[in-house]
């Protein structure tokens, strides 16, 4: 994935983590996306969600909890993001419900602990992470995979389009995220 998208996202998240106003603006970008994903995967307060890819500002994880009441664990493979993400979660008062860990989506994770697994758009390497999740998740686990808009596909890690073509999905009107596909393990 080109560094320009990653660097821009990092800068936005860094400002959002420090400034309440910027956080509110940026979280509005994700709110409608999360609401559609909640409906698509039928997420409730009884679920335990694993968000793979959270960054400095794990907007999706925080919003999943705020919208549904579900317990959320978010992992990121960039160790420098973790302290800032934990600080933000504490500041927002959701640290009892949203946990942040430094971990790679391809590593030995007990995927069986989660009823919903969400893979962020910028996760790299997407295909390997998806395959690790799909092969190790419990039967019936809902997997949400974000996909880029068509014109931005070359800027992100690829997944086999055939694997996405016949899945239920929701389309988004965001700048980067084109859709979220639902898989059932």
């Amino acid at each position: 994935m080109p560094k320009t998208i990653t660097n821009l996202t990092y800068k936005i998240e860094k400002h959002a983590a420090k400034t309440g106003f910027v956080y509110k603006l940026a979280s509005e970008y994700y709110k409608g996306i999360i609401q559609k994903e909640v409906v698509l995967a039928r997420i409730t307060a009884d679920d335990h969600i694993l968000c793979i890819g959270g960054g400095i500002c794990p907007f999706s994880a925080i919003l999943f909890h705020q919208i549904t009441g579900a317990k959320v664990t978010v992992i990121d493979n960039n160790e420098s993001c973790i302290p800032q993400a934990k600080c933000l979660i504490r500041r927002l008062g959701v640290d009892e419900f949203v946990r942040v860990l430094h971990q790679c989506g391809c590593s030995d994770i007990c995927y069986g602990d989660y009823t919903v697994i969400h893979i962020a758009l910028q996760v790299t390497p997407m295909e390997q992470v998806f395959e690790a999740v799909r092969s190790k998740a419990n039967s019936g686990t809902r997997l949400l995979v974000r996909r880029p808009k068509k014109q931005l596909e070359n800027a992100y890690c690829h997944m086999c389009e055939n694997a996405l073509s016949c899945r239920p999905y929701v389309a988004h009107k965001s700048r980067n995220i084109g859709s979220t596909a639902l898989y059932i393990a």
Side-chain angles (χ1 to χ4, degrees):
M1 173 183 349
K3 285 282 187 196
T4 54
I5 290 177
T6 305
N7 291 340
L8 178 62
T9 301
Y10 182 84
K11 287 177 183 178
I12 291 169
E13 288 186 359
K14 194 169 184 174
H15 288 299
K18 292 179 181 177
T19 311
F21 176 72
V22 177
Y23 174 82
K24 286 180 185 177
L25 280 177
S27 69
E28 283 301 313
Y29 170 82
Y30 287 99
K31 197 174 203 171
I33 293 166
I34 295 297
Q35 288 170 332
K36 287 181 177 183
E37 291 172 344
V38 164
V39 171
L40 177 66
R42 296 184 175 135
I43 300 172
T44 69
D46 296 328
D47 284 307
H48 187 183
I49 303 167
L50 172 64
C51 290
I52 301 176
I56 292 172
C57 233
F59 294 108
S60 296
I62 293 164
L63 287 166
F64 273 128
H65 167 69
Q66 290 175 335
I67 291 169
T68 68
K71 183 178 176 185
V72 183
T73 299
V74 59
I75 63 172
D76 199 285
N77 65 359
N78 183 344
E79 192 170 11
S80 67
C81 292
I82 305 307
Q84 295 171 79
K86 286 181 176 181
C87 183
L88 173 66
I89 286 168
R90 265 192 309 278
R91 194 175 81 230
L92 293 173
V94 295
D95 51 323
E96 187 178 331
F97 308 101
V98 180
R99 183 173 66 141
V100 180
L101 304 171
H102 172 241
Q103 204 160 9
C104 173
C106 293
S107 64
D108 278 341
I109 298 171
C110 186
Y111 292 110
D113 292 344
Y114 306 99
T115 55
V116 177
I117 300 174
H118 182 273
I119 303 176
L121 183 59
Q122 292 187 9
V123 166
T124 305
M126 177 67 81
E127 287 184 349
Q128 289 90 333
V129 171
F130 176 77
E131 194 51 41
V133 170
R134 192 191 60 71
S135 67
K136 295 176 185 175
N138 286 343
S139 179
T141 300
R142 292 154 282 162
L143 313 176
L144 291 167
V145 181
R146 286 192 180 151
R147 304 299 305 139
K149 288 196 178 247
K150 196 81 170 152
Q151 61 270 32
L152 295 173
E153 284 178 349
N154 291 332
Y156 293 94
C157 284
H158 297 281
M159 274 187 62
C160 175
E161 288 307 311
N162 292 337
L164 296 173
S165 63
C166 57
R167 299 287 170 198
Y169 71 95
V170 290
H172 304 295
K173 294 180 181 178
S174 75
R175 295 192 191 279
N176 294 6
I177 305 167
S179 64
T180 303
L182 173 66
Y183 297 80
I184 307 296

